[in-house]
Amino acid sequence: MNPFGKIVAVAAKGDLMGNRGCLHNDRREVVRNYRSKAWIACVTSWPGVRRQLMTPGSYTELFFRDEATALSAGHRPCAECRRDRFRAFQAAWVRAGLSGEPPRVTVMDDRLHRERSETECPIVDTVAEPDGVILSPVGSADCFLKWKGRLHRWSFDGYGPAAPPPNEAMRRLTPVSIAAVLAAGYVPGVHISVDAS
Protein backbone atom coordinates (compact mmCIF):
# COMPACT_ATOMS: atom_id res chain seq x y z
CA MET A 1 0.00 0.00 0.00
CA ASN A 2 1.18 3.50 -0.72
CA PRO A 3 0.31 6.65 1.29
CA PHE A 4 -2.45 7.51 -1.22
CA GLY A 5 -4.24 4.31 -0.13
CA LYS A 6 -3.58 2.56 -3.45
CA ILE A 7 -2.84 -1.15 -3.67
CA VAL A 8 0.47 -1.67 -5.47
CA ALA A 9 2.32 -4.96 -6.07
CA VAL A 10 5.97 -4.57 -5.02
CA ALA A 11 8.67 -6.84 -3.60
CA ALA A 12 9.36 -4.67 -0.52
CA LYS A 13 8.16 -6.09 2.79
CA GLY A 14 6.00 -4.09 5.18
CA ASP A 15 6.14 -3.61 8.94
CA LEU A 16 2.33 -3.82 9.29
CA MET A 17 -0.47 -5.75 7.62
CA GLY A 18 -3.75 -4.12 6.63
CA ASN A 19 -7.28 -5.37 6.17
CA ARG A 20 -10.20 -3.86 4.21
CA GLY A 21 -12.11 -7.12 3.78
CA CYS A 22 -11.94 -9.59 0.89
CA LEU A 23 -10.74 -7.66 -2.17
CA HIS A 24 -9.68 -10.58 -4.38
CA ASN A 25 -11.41 -13.25 -6.43
CA ASP A 26 -10.73 -17.01 -6.57
CA ARG A 27 -7.86 -16.36 -9.02
CA ARG A 28 -6.15 -14.09 -6.45
CA GLU A 29 -6.78 -10.98 -8.51
CA VAL A 30 -7.62 -7.77 -6.65
CA VAL A 31 -11.06 -6.74 -7.96
CA ARG A 32 -12.09 -3.98 -5.51
CA ASN A 33 -10.49 -1.33 -3.30
CA TYR A 34 -12.43 -2.16 -0.12
CA ARG A 35 -15.25 -4.33 1.17
CA SER A 36 -15.66 -2.86 4.64
CA LYS A 37 -15.55 0.54 6.34
CA ALA A 38 -13.22 -0.99 8.94
CA TRP A 39 -9.77 -0.33 7.52
CA ILE A 40 -7.31 -1.62 10.10
CA ALA A 41 -3.55 -1.94 10.52
CA CYS A 42 -2.43 -5.20 12.14
CA VAL A 43 0.74 -6.98 13.18
CA THR A 44 2.31 -9.17 10.50
CA SER A 45 2.47 -12.26 12.73
CA TRP A 46 0.32 -13.69 15.48
CA PRO A 47 1.20 -16.65 17.76
CA GLY A 48 -0.12 -19.91 16.36
CA VAL A 49 -1.47 -18.38 13.14
CA ARG A 50 -0.03 -19.06 9.71
CA ARG A 51 -1.97 -17.68 6.74
CA GLN A 52 -1.78 -18.30 3.05
CA LEU A 53 -1.99 -14.96 1.26
CA MET A 54 -5.23 -14.28 -0.59
CA THR A 55 -7.03 -17.38 0.62
CA PRO A 56 -10.29 -17.62 -1.39
CA GLY A 57 -13.18 -16.10 0.58
CA SER A 58 -10.93 -14.62 3.28
CA TYR A 59 -9.72 -11.07 3.76
CA THR A 60 -6.99 -9.73 1.49
CA GLU A 61 -3.69 -9.12 3.24
CA LEU A 62 -2.32 -5.64 2.53
CA PHE A 63 1.09 -4.45 3.72
CA PHE A 64 2.40 -1.06 4.86
CA ARG A 65 5.97 0.21 5.07
CA ASP A 66 5.13 1.53 8.56
CA GLU A 67 2.31 2.90 10.70
CA ALA A 68 2.61 6.44 9.30
CA THR A 69 1.92 4.98 5.83
CA ALA A 70 -1.06 2.98 7.15
CA LEU A 71 -2.52 6.08 8.80
CA SER A 72 -2.04 8.13 5.63
CA ALA A 73 -3.93 5.46 3.68
CA GLY A 74 -6.80 5.83 6.17
CA HIS A 75 -6.24 2.74 8.35
CA ARG A 76 -6.50 2.81 12.15
CA PRO A 77 -4.77 0.47 14.63
CA CYS A 78 -6.46 -2.92 15.09
CA ALA A 79 -8.34 -3.17 18.41
CA GLU A 80 -7.42 -6.85 18.77
CA CYS A 81 -3.81 -7.53 17.75
CA ARG A 82 -2.59 -3.98 18.46
CA ARG A 83 -4.77 -3.22 21.47
CA ASP A 84 -2.28 -0.91 23.24
CA ARG A 85 -1.83 1.17 20.06
CA PHE A 86 -5.59 1.20 19.51
CA ARG A 87 -6.21 2.45 23.07
CA ALA A 88 -3.59 5.20 22.59
CA PHE A 89 -5.22 6.16 19.27
CA GLN A 90 -8.67 6.17 20.93
CA ALA A 91 -7.41 8.38 23.79
CA ALA A 92 -5.85 10.85 21.31
CA TRP A 93 -9.16 10.86 19.38
CA VAL A 94 -10.83 12.14 22.57
CA ARG A 95 -8.02 14.67 23.28
CA ALA A 96 -8.42 15.94 19.71
CA GLY A 97 -12.07 16.75 20.51
CA LEU A 98 -13.44 14.28 17.97
CA SER A 99 -15.66 12.75 20.67
CA GLY A 100 -16.32 13.29 24.35
CA GLU A 101 -15.56 9.72 25.38
CA PRO A 102 -13.56 6.84 23.95
CA PRO A 103 -15.40 6.09 20.69
CA ARG A 104 -16.57 2.71 19.47
CA VAL A 105 -14.71 1.39 16.45
CA THR A 106 -17.81 1.84 14.29
CA VAL A 107 -17.90 5.56 15.10
CA MET A 108 -14.26 5.98 14.07
CA ASP A 109 -14.70 3.78 10.99
CA ASP A 110 -17.77 5.70 9.80
CA ARG A 111 -16.00 9.03 10.15
CA LEU A 112 -12.80 7.82 8.48
CA HIS A 113 -14.82 6.27 5.65
CA ARG A 114 -16.45 9.65 4.94
CA GLU A 115 -13.06 11.37 4.98
CA ARG A 116 -11.49 8.76 2.68
CA SER A 117 -14.36 9.31 0.24
CA GLU A 118 -13.49 12.98 -0.19
CA THR A 119 -11.93 13.52 -3.60
CA GLU A 120 -9.59 16.40 -2.74
CA CYS A 121 -6.85 16.35 -0.13
CA PRO A 122 -6.53 19.71 1.63
CA ILE A 123 -3.70 22.09 0.79
CA VAL A 124 -1.96 22.80 4.09
CA ASP A 125 0.72 24.89 5.76
CA THR A 126 3.47 22.30 6.05
CA VAL A 127 5.02 23.99 9.09
CA ALA A 128 1.72 23.77 11.03
CA GLU A 129 1.17 20.07 10.30
CA PRO A 130 1.92 17.55 13.09
CA ASP A 131 4.70 15.00 12.89
CA GLY A 132 3.53 11.71 11.38
CA VAL A 133 1.43 13.10 8.52
CA ILE A 134 2.31 12.34 4.93
CA LEU A 135 2.25 15.20 2.44
CA SER A 136 2.49 15.43 -1.32
CA PRO A 137 3.28 18.42 -3.57
CA VAL A 138 0.19 19.47 -5.51
CA GLY A 139 0.13 17.67 -8.86
CA SER A 140 2.88 15.22 -7.87
CA ALA A 141 3.00 11.52 -7.03
CA ASP A 142 5.89 12.11 -4.60
CA CYS A 143 5.21 11.76 -0.87
CA PHE A 144 6.97 13.05 2.22
CA LEU A 145 6.68 12.07 5.88
CA LYS A 146 6.86 15.01 8.27
CA TRP A 147 9.00 13.92 11.19
CA LYS A 148 10.66 16.12 13.81
CA GLY A 149 9.76 19.18 11.78
CA ARG A 150 11.47 18.01 8.60
CA LEU A 151 10.37 16.09 5.54
CA HIS A 152 11.60 12.66 4.45
CA ARG A 153 10.85 11.39 0.95
CA TRP A 154 8.71 8.24 1.16
CA SER A 155 9.36 5.04 -0.82
CA PHE A 156 8.37 1.39 -0.46
CA ASP A 157 11.91 0.72 0.76
CA GLY A 158 11.98 3.46 3.40
CA TYR A 159 12.63 7.19 3.76
CA GLY A 160 15.19 9.54 2.29
CA PRO A 161 17.33 12.12 4.12
CA ALA A 162 15.66 14.89 6.09
CA ALA A 163 15.09 18.15 4.26
CA PRO A 164 13.32 21.42 5.06
CA PRO A 165 9.81 21.85 3.63
CA PRO A 166 9.86 22.79 -0.07
CA ASN A 167 8.59 26.17 -1.25
CA GLU A 168 5.57 24.73 -3.05
CA ALA A 169 1.95 23.99 -2.20
CA MET A 170 1.56 20.71 -0.34
CA ARG A 171 -1.54 18.63 0.23
CA ARG A 172 -2.00 16.38 3.24
CA LEU A 173 -2.75 12.76 2.35
CA THR A 174 -3.40 11.75 5.96
CA PRO A 175 -7.16 12.03 6.66
CA VAL A 176 -8.40 14.99 8.71
CA SER A 177 -9.34 13.01 11.83
CA ILE A 178 -6.09 11.07 11.86
CA ALA A 179 -4.10 14.31 11.47
CA ALA A 180 -6.03 15.64 14.50
CA VAL A 181 -5.15 12.48 16.45
CA LEU A 182 -1.47 12.99 15.58
CA ALA A 183 -1.68 16.64 16.66
CA ALA A 184 -3.22 15.44 19.95
CA GLY A 185 -0.11 13.40 20.74
CA TYR A 186 -0.48 10.01 19.06
CA VAL A 187 3.02 9.06 17.86
CA PRO A 188 2.98 6.60 14.96
CA GLY A 189 5.58 3.93 14.38
CA VAL A 190 7.92 4.89 11.53
CA HIS A 191 10.40 2.85 9.52
CA ILE A 192 13.94 2.69 10.89
CA SER A 193 15.25 4.52 7.80
CA VAL A 194 13.93 7.80 9.26
CA ASP A 195 16.53 7.65 12.03
CA ALA A 196 19.23 6.53 9.60
CA SER A 197 18.72 9.48 7.23
Side-chain angles (χ1 to χ4, degrees), residues 11 160 167 173 187:
N167 290 327
L173 303 181
V187 180

mmCIF file with all atom_site columns, all heavy atoms in Angstrom, residues 11 160 167 173 187:
data_model
loop_
_atom_site.group_PDB
_atom_site.id
_atom_site.type_symbol
_atom_site.label_atom_id
_atom_site.label_alt_id
_atom_site.label_comp_id
_atom_site.label_asym_id
_atom_site.label_entity_id
_atom_site.label_seq_id
_atom_site.pdbx_PDB_ins_code
_atom_site.Cartn_x
_atom_site.Cartn_y
_atom_site.Cartn_z
_atom_site.occupancy
_atom_site.B_iso_or_equiv
_atom_site.pdbx_formal_charge
_atom_site.auth_seq_id
_atom_site.auth_comp_id
_atom_site.auth_asym_id
_atom_site.auth_atom_id
_atom_site.pdbx_PDB_model_num
ATOM 1  N N   . ALA A 1 11  ? 7.938  -5.803 -4.332 1.00 0.00 ? 11  ALA A N   1
ATOM 2  C CA  . ALA A 1 11  ? 8.667  -6.845 -3.605 1.00 0.00 ? 11  ALA A CA  1
ATOM 3  C C   . ALA A 1 11  ? 8.997  -6.437 -2.164 1.00 0.00 ? 11  ALA A C   1
ATOM 4  O O   . ALA A 1 11  ? 9.255  -7.297 -1.331 1.00 0.00 ? 11  ALA A O   1
ATOM 5  C CB  . ALA A 1 11  ? 9.956  -7.182 -4.350 1.00 0.00 ? 11  ALA A CB  1
ATOM 6  N N   . GLY A 1 160 ? 13.967 8.850  2.674  1.00 0.00 ? 160 GLY A N   1
ATOM 7  C CA  . GLY A 1 160 ? 15.186 9.537  2.289  1.00 0.00 ? 160 GLY A CA  1
ATOM 8  C C   . GLY A 1 160 ? 15.651 10.497 3.375  1.00 0.00 ? 160 GLY A C   1
ATOM 9  O O   . GLY A 1 160 ? 15.002 10.645 4.412  1.00 0.00 ? 160 GLY A O   1
ATOM 10 N N   . ASN A 1 167 ? 9.373  24.948 -1.034 1.00 0.00 ? 167 ASN A N   1
ATOM 11 C CA  . ASN A 1 167 ? 8.588  26.170 -1.253 1.00 0.00 ? 167 ASN A CA  1
ATOM 12 C C   . ASN A 1 167 ? 7.549  25.931 -2.344 1.00 0.00 ? 167 ASN A C   1
ATOM 13 O O   . ASN A 1 167 ? 7.593  26.547 -3.395 1.00 0.00 ? 167 ASN A O   1
ATOM 14 C CB  . ASN A 1 167 ? 9.510  27.335 -1.641 1.00 0.00 ? 167 ASN A CB  1
ATOM 15 C CG  . ASN A 1 167 ? 10.354 27.794 -0.482 1.00 0.00 ? 167 ASN A CG  1
ATOM 16 O OD1 . ASN A 1 167 ? 9.920  27.749 0.662  1.00 0.00 ? 167 ASN A OD1 1
ATOM 17 N ND2 . ASN A 1 167 ? 11.568 28.211 -0.760 1.00 0.00 ? 167 ASN A ND2 1
ATOM 18 N N   . LEU A 1 173 ? -2.094 14.011 2.706  1.00 0.00 ? 173 LEU A N   1
ATOM 19 C CA  . LEU A 1 173 ? -2.751 12.759 2.350  1.00 0.00 ? 173 LEU A CA  1
ATOM 20 C C   . LEU A 1 173 ? -3.423 12.123 3.561  1.00 0.00 ? 173 LEU A C   1
ATOM 21 O O   . LEU A 1 173 ? -4.448 11.457 3.425  1.00 0.00 ? 173 LEU A O   1
ATOM 22 C CB  . LEU A 1 173 ? -1.732 11.783 1.743  1.00 0.00 ? 173 LEU A CB  1
ATOM 23 C CG  . LEU A 1 173 ? -0.962 12.281 0.516  1.00 0.00 ? 173 LEU A CG  1
ATOM 24 C CD1 . LEU A 1 173 ? -0.008 11.206 0.021  1.00 0.00 ? 173 LEU A CD1 1
ATOM 25 C CD2 . LEU A 1 173 ? -1.903 12.720 -0.587 1.00 0.00 ? 173 LEU A CD2 1
ATOM 26 N N   . VAL A 1 187 ? 1.748  9.151  18.583 1.00 0.00 ? 187 VAL A N   1
ATOM 27 C CA  . VAL A 1 187 ? 3.024  9.056  17.858 1.00 0.00 ? 187 VAL A CA  1
ATOM 28 C C   . VAL A 1 187 ? 3.041  7.746  17.073 1.00 0.00 ? 187 VAL A C   1
ATOM 29 O O   . VAL A 1 187 ? 3.072  6.671  17.671 1.00 0.00 ? 187 VAL A O   1
ATOM 30 C CB  . VAL A 1 187 ? 4.226  9.119  18.819 1.00 0.00 ? 187 VAL A CB  1
ATOM 31 C CG1 . VAL A 1 187 ? 5.535  9.017  18.048 1.00 0.00 ? 187 VAL A CG1 1
ATOM 32 C CG2 . VAL A 1 187 ? 4.177  10.401 19.650 1.00 0.00 ? 187 VAL A CG2 1
#
